[in-house]
Amino acid sequence: MTARHILRASMKLVDIGANLTDPVFRGKYRGNQAHPDDLAQILARAREAGIVAMMVTGGNLAESRHAIEMCRQHPNLYATVGCHPTRTSEVSKYPGGAQAYFAALQQLIADNRDKVVAVGECGLDYDRLHFSDKPTQLEHFVRHFDLAHATGLPLFLHDRNTKGDFARLMKENRLKFTEGVVHSFTGSVDEARELLDLGLFIGINGCSLKTEENLAAVRSIPVDRLMIETDCPYCEIRPTHASHKLLENAEWKQPESKRKERWSEVCMVKSRNEPCTIRQVLHVLAALHNMDEAEMASKLYANTIRVFMGIN
């Protein structure tokens, strides 16, 4: 084995955005059990791909609790705790209202400091205002800054088509949090620069790599401000994506996938993204920055551990 292959074999990757609480990872789709629970096989494929840790996204209070329960069962899983902008409409319905809801989030963090590494997912999403209107999103996004200040944790952030509101609130509250990463970035070169000027890191997955404009934006981001993710079960790199052509010479090959009706424990499920496909995102990032995959992986790992210090 050459030195290059030894280096590749020792790569360490952290998937900063894995929605592992989604029932599809237990074989359940829209309430129906389509195949056996295969989380163990999914985690095994992730390890084989070089993933040494994953951050399980907490999208609301209940999901954050679920994420922590899952992380307690697997030493290399860590959780985020927060309320996704599209879920903020539930906050006022919680017994005791917003104050009680965020107190419960803070207590959940305090009780699980060894497993919680970030506040979030939180932010703004103006593409899906039918789930939660703008005033509600704005009100409860601001509360996450107070939660980050109280706990000392970094922020795991969401920003979709927010017309300057996201950047404005980040600037107004910049002294309340230590670090932050805007995950699943899909913006332009200018939007990337605005986030970088705020001192934020930027998380890249397949949805970040759809168009040539996306690729130009990702290429403009300094390597020391990048992180990597899958946002599984979503955001795989598809054949229609501009980045797909860059996978032609990739060493890592995605496992065979089958429709859920033809499930096999050794195969992925079609249209259900998995953590192991982070290797495709890594390959594209390395190509865009003219770097070796192992070198890029090392940089990404260092960035992630620097921000999410609870990961070990």
Side-chain angles (χ1 to χ4, degrees), residues 29 35 38 254-272 274:
Y29 301 76
H35 58 73
D38 58 346
Q254 179 176 308
E256 180 186 358
S257 61
K258 294 184 177 182
R259 294 172 57 189
K260 61 181 183 296
E261 295 81 6
R262 298 181 60 241
W263 177 86
S264 165
E265 65 178 12
V266 298
C267 295
M268 291 176 56
V269 174
K270 284 187 181 296
S271 300
R272 183 189 70 175
E274 285 189 20

Side-chain angles (χ1 to χ4, degrees), residues 232-258:
C232 61
Y234 320 108
C235 290
E236 70 272 27
I237 294 178
R238 298 180 179 179
T240 55
H241 290 183
S243 57
H244 193 267
K245 63 181 180 293
L246 299 176
L247 298 176
E248 293 177 0
N249 64 342
E251 288 185 13
W252 185 84
K253 301 301 179 184
Q254 179 176 308
E256 180 186 358
S257 61
K258 294 184 177 182

